[in-house]
Amino acid sequence: MMKTMGVRLAMALLMIITVLTIVIAQQADLQQPPPPPMLPEEEVGGCSRTFFSALVQLIPCRAAVAPFSPIPPTEMCCSAVVTLGRPCLCLLANGPPLSGIDRSMALQLPQRCSANFPPCDVIN
């Protein structure tokens, strides 16, 4: 009888711990900020990427857009520019200022890479 009560008590404690673990995990998920939303294409002229994902795609161009950089864009950079396209470049051009990036040099990437995009309308 005593052994049966001990097993029941252990099972009840295990169930309580399991429920508490699930509740805590759900609350932790609720407290995390949601992932950045994908921008609708019409809002960014056809770019279906977020600002951050567009920026990550241009990492190969970092040396070419550093302030006072004499380094021309690499083939990887130019490939990223062409793949990204004008709408996403304009999204970046109108985004927040980025440390270590000369925005005017970044806006010259399509021309320097022979991508022949029309210039972005930069909103100050």
Side-chain angles (χ1 to χ4, degrees):
M1 179 100 163
M2 196 64 117
K3 190 175 184 180
T4 306
M5 284 179 51
V7 171
R8 286 183 184 173
L9 182 58
M11 296 276 292
L13 286 174
L14 182 60
M15 189 180 311
I16 290 171
I17 291 171
T18 302
V19 170
L20 285 175
T21 302
I22 292 170
V23 169
I24 290 170
Q26 287 175 343
Q27 285 184 349
D29 286 343
L30 292 175
Q31 291 174 355
Q32 292 179 356
M38 293 297 288
L39 297 173
E41 288 189 29
E42 59 272 7
E43 286 186 25
V44 289
C47 179
S48 60
R49 294 175 175 85
T50 63
F51 176 83
F52 182 73
S53 66
L55 182 63
V56 167
Q57 189 163 348
L58 284 179
I59 286 175
C61 299
R62 184 165 183 186
V65 296
F68 310 108
S69 175
I71 300 172
T74 63
E75 189 175 317
M76 281 181 61
C77 170
C78 290
S79 176
V81 168
V82 170
T83 300
L84 199 59
R86 181 185 180 273
C88 291
L89 288 173
C90 292
L91 173 69
L92 290 170
N94 288 301
L98 302 166
S99 177
I101 295 178
D102 183 320
R103 191 168 292 213
S104 65
M105 290 178 78
L107 288 171
Q108 293 172 12
L109 282 175
Q111 179 184 9
R112 293 176 71 194
C113 289
S114 301
N116 298 321
F117 299 145
C120 295
D121 297 323
V122 181
I123 302 167
N124 290 328

